[in-house]
Amino acid sequence: MSTARIFPIKESPSELISLRKKQTVYRIEKRIIWLLELQKDKFKTREALATYLNINLRTQERWILRYISGGIDELLTDKPKNICSRIITSEIHQGLSKRVNSSEQPFLGYWDAVQWVQSEYNVNIQYHNLRKYLIQHFKTKLKTPRKSHYKKDDQAVDAFLKTS
Protein backbone atom coordinates (compact mmCIF):
# COMPACT_ATOMS: atom_id res chain seq x y z
CA MET A 1 0.00 0.00 0.00
CA SER A 2 1.24 3.43 -0.87
CA THR A 3 1.12 6.30 1.57
CA ALA A 4 -0.24 9.70 0.75
CA ARG A 5 2.16 12.10 -0.89
CA ILE A 6 3.13 14.79 1.58
CA PHE A 7 2.87 18.38 0.35
CA PRO A 8 1.96 21.59 2.17
CA ILE A 9 -1.63 22.79 1.99
CA LYS A 10 -1.52 26.58 2.11
CA GLU A 11 -5.21 27.24 2.80
CA SER A 12 -6.70 27.00 6.25
CA PRO A 13 -9.63 24.66 6.93
CA SER A 14 -11.99 27.61 7.37
CA GLU A 15 -10.98 28.98 3.94
CA LEU A 16 -11.57 25.60 2.35
CA ILE A 17 -14.96 25.24 4.03
CA SER A 18 -16.05 28.66 2.77
CA LEU A 19 -14.81 27.77 -0.74
CA ARG A 20 -16.75 24.52 -0.57
CA LYS A 21 -19.98 26.35 0.30
CA LYS A 22 -19.57 28.61 -2.75
CA GLN A 23 -19.18 25.76 -5.23
CA THR A 24 -22.09 24.85 -7.47
CA VAL A 25 -20.37 21.99 -9.32
CA TYR A 26 -19.93 18.79 -7.33
CA ARG A 27 -16.89 17.74 -9.35
CA ILE A 28 -14.99 20.79 -8.10
CA GLU A 29 -16.46 20.54 -4.61
CA LYS A 30 -15.04 17.02 -4.36
CA ARG A 31 -11.54 18.45 -4.83
CA ILE A 32 -12.04 20.78 -1.88
CA ILE A 33 -13.34 17.86 0.20
CA TRP A 34 -10.18 15.99 -0.80
CA LEU A 35 -7.99 18.84 0.49
CA LEU A 36 -9.97 19.00 3.73
CA GLU A 37 -9.57 15.27 4.29
CA LEU A 38 -5.84 15.53 3.61
CA GLN A 39 -5.57 18.28 6.23
CA LYS A 40 -7.43 16.19 8.82
CA ASP A 41 -4.95 13.36 8.20
CA LYS A 42 -7.76 10.89 8.78
CA PHE A 43 -6.64 8.37 6.15
CA LYS A 44 -3.33 6.53 6.28
CA THR A 45 -3.16 5.56 2.60
CA ARG A 46 -4.08 7.09 -0.72
CA GLU A 47 -6.21 4.05 -1.51
CA ALA A 48 -8.36 4.62 1.56
CA LEU A 49 -8.90 8.26 0.71
CA ALA A 50 -9.64 7.42 -2.94
CA THR A 51 -12.15 4.78 -1.88
CA TYR A 52 -13.81 7.22 0.53
CA LEU A 53 -14.16 9.87 -2.21
CA ASN A 54 -15.02 7.29 -4.88
CA ILE A 55 -12.21 8.44 -7.19
CA ASN A 56 -9.33 6.71 -8.92
CA LEU A 57 -5.77 6.84 -7.60
CA ARG A 58 -4.63 8.42 -10.86
CA THR A 59 -7.20 11.20 -10.42
CA GLN A 60 -5.81 11.89 -6.99
CA GLU A 61 -2.28 12.02 -8.39
CA ARG A 62 -3.37 14.53 -11.07
CA TRP A 63 -4.99 16.68 -8.39
CA ILE A 64 -1.78 16.63 -6.37
CA LEU A 65 0.29 17.72 -9.36
CA ARG A 66 -2.17 20.48 -10.25
CA TYR A 67 -2.23 21.77 -6.67
CA ILE A 68 1.56 21.76 -6.40
CA SER A 69 2.03 23.51 -9.75
CA GLY A 70 -0.66 26.20 -9.47
CA GLY A 71 -2.23 26.16 -6.03
CA ILE A 72 -5.93 26.19 -5.26
CA ASP A 73 -6.80 28.26 -8.34
CA GLU A 74 -5.27 25.68 -10.68
CA LEU A 75 -6.97 22.83 -8.82
CA LEU A 76 -10.44 24.37 -9.01
CA THR A 77 -10.41 25.32 -12.69
CA ASP A 78 -11.28 22.96 -15.49
CA LYS A 79 -9.37 23.90 -18.58
CA PRO A 80 -10.62 22.70 -21.94
CA LYS A 81 -8.58 19.93 -23.50
CA ASN A 82 -7.48 21.51 -26.75
CA ILE A 83 -4.76 19.09 -27.66
CA CYS A 84 -3.25 19.54 -31.11
CA SER A 85 -3.04 16.42 -33.18
CA ARG A 86 0.35 14.80 -32.92
CA ILE A 87 -0.28 12.46 -35.82
CA ILE A 88 -1.54 14.98 -38.35
CA THR A 89 1.35 17.35 -38.93
CA SER A 90 1.13 20.67 -40.75
CA GLU A 91 2.45 18.98 -43.90
CA ILE A 92 -0.36 16.40 -43.83
CA HIS A 93 -2.86 19.18 -43.04
CA GLN A 94 -1.74 21.13 -46.13
CA GLY A 95 -2.03 18.01 -48.30
CA LEU A 96 -5.49 17.24 -46.95
CA SER A 97 -6.54 20.84 -47.57
CA LYS A 98 -5.44 20.71 -51.20
CA ARG A 99 -7.12 17.36 -51.77
CA VAL A 100 -10.38 18.27 -50.02
CA ASN A 101 -10.73 21.52 -51.97
CA SER A 102 -9.64 19.96 -55.28
CA SER A 103 -12.31 19.81 -57.96
CA GLU A 104 -10.38 17.42 -60.21
CA GLN A 105 -9.51 14.71 -57.70
CA PRO A 106 -11.51 14.98 -54.45
CA PHE A 107 -11.79 12.25 -51.85
CA LEU A 108 -14.50 9.70 -52.60
CA GLY A 109 -15.08 9.19 -48.89
CA TYR A 110 -13.32 9.07 -45.56
CA TRP A 111 -11.89 5.62 -46.29
CA ASP A 112 -10.32 7.08 -49.41
CA ALA A 113 -8.76 9.82 -47.27
CA VAL A 114 -7.34 7.24 -44.86
CA GLN A 115 -5.81 5.27 -47.72
CA TRP A 116 -4.45 8.44 -49.34
CA VAL A 117 -2.70 9.57 -46.14
CA GLN A 118 -1.27 6.05 -45.74
CA SER A 119 0.09 5.98 -49.29
CA GLU A 120 1.31 9.60 -49.51
CA TYR A 121 2.77 10.17 -46.04
CA ASN A 122 3.18 6.60 -44.77
CA VAL A 123 1.19 7.48 -41.63
CA ASN A 124 -1.52 5.17 -40.39
CA ILE A 125 -4.45 7.19 -39.04
CA GLN A 126 -7.58 5.55 -37.73
CA TYR A 127 -10.75 6.14 -39.73
CA HIS A 128 -12.67 7.83 -36.92
CA ASN A 129 -9.81 10.16 -36.01
CA LEU A 130 -9.31 11.33 -39.60
CA ARG A 131 -13.07 11.67 -40.13
CA LYS A 132 -13.35 13.83 -37.00
CA TYR A 133 -10.35 15.91 -38.09
CA LEU A 134 -11.76 16.50 -41.59
CA ILE A 135 -15.17 17.47 -40.23
CA GLN A 136 -13.66 19.80 -37.62
CA HIS A 137 -11.12 21.55 -39.83
CA PHE A 138 -12.63 21.40 -43.32
CA LYS A 139 -16.38 21.05 -42.56
CA THR A 140 -16.65 17.95 -44.72
CA LYS A 141 -19.64 15.63 -44.83
CA LEU A 142 -20.66 12.58 -46.77
CA LYS A 143 -22.97 13.36 -49.63
CA THR A 144 -25.05 10.44 -50.77
CA PRO A 145 -27.65 10.59 -53.52
CA ARG A 146 -31.25 9.71 -52.87
CA LYS A 147 -32.20 6.16 -53.65
CA SER A 148 -33.81 5.58 -57.00
CA HIS A 149 -36.56 3.07 -57.59
CA TYR A 150 -35.45 0.06 -59.59
CA LYS A 151 -38.53 0.19 -61.86
CA LYS A 152 -38.08 3.86 -62.73
CA ASP A 153 -38.49 4.65 -66.43
CA ASP A 154 -35.65 6.90 -67.64
CA GLN A 155 -37.64 8.06 -70.69
CA ALA A 156 -40.49 9.23 -68.46
CA VAL A 157 -38.01 11.20 -66.34
CA ASP A 158 -36.58 12.90 -69.46
CA ALA A 159 -40.08 13.77 -70.67
CA PHE A 160 -40.96 15.23 -67.28
CA LEU A 161 -37.82 17.33 -67.13
CA LYS A 162 -38.46 18.74 -70.63
CA THR A 163 -41.96 19.92 -69.69
CA SER A 164 -41.02 21.54 -66.42
Side-chain angles (χ1 to χ4, degrees), residues 17-161:
I17 290 170
S18 66
L19 270 174
R20 181 181 175 194
K21 288 179 182 178
K22 293 177 188 175
Q23 296 305 317
T24 57
V25 180
Y26 181 67
R27 183 177 67 244
I28 295 175
E29 184 182 354
K30 193 181 263 193
R31 297 172 191 178
I32 298 171
I33 295 169
W34 169 73
L35 280 175
L36 282 167
E37 294 300 329
L38 281 176
Q39 276 187 338
K40 291 178 188 175
D41 204 22
K42 180 177 162 184
F43 299 97
K44 294 184 188 211
T45 62
R46 288 189 323 148
E47 287 90 356
L49 181 56
T51 304
Y52 173 74
L53 292 174
N54 197 19
I55 59 172
N56 196 319
L57 286 173
R58 180 64 185 121
T59 302
Q60 195 172 2
E61 184 65 27
R62 280 195 314 267
W63 289 355
I64 290 170
L65 293 175
R66 287 180 80 176
Y67 184 77
I68 290 171
S69 68
I72 192 78
D73 295 329
E74 177 75 19
L75 181 67
L76 299 183
T77 57
D78 279 338
K79 295 178 182 174
K81 298 176 182 174
N82 292 336
I83 301 171
C84 295
S85 176
R86 295 183 185 116
I87 298 172
I88 301 176
T89 62
S90 60
E91 180 185 351
I92 297 174
H93 178 85
Q94 294 295 329
L96 286 171
S97 176
K98 288 178 186 173
R99 187 77 192 266
V100 164
N101 297 322
S102 170
S103 59
E104 292 86 32
Q105 197 178 20
F107 290 124
L108 300 176
Y110 294 118
W111 283 113
D112 187 32
V114 170
Q115 291 170 354
W116 181 80
V117 169
Q118 174 66 34
S119 65
E120 289 291 318
Y121 299 101
N122 201 19
V123 175
N124 190 13
I125 301 175
Q126 291 182 352
Y127 172 84
H128 296 290
N129 293 341
L130 187 61
R131 178 184 166 273
K132 185 178 172 184
Y133 187 85
L134 288 172
I135 291 170
Q136 184 178 12
H137 290 86
F138 303 112
K139 309 287 188 260
T140 61
K141 61 182 176 180
L142 289 177
K143 294 184 178 179
T144 56
R146 296 175 87 183
K147 292 183 179 178
S148 179
H149 198 273
Y150 69 97
K151 292 183 179 178
K152 180 175 79 171
D153 184 16
D154 291 330
Q155 292 173 349
V157 171
D158 291 339
F160 175 77
L161 291 174

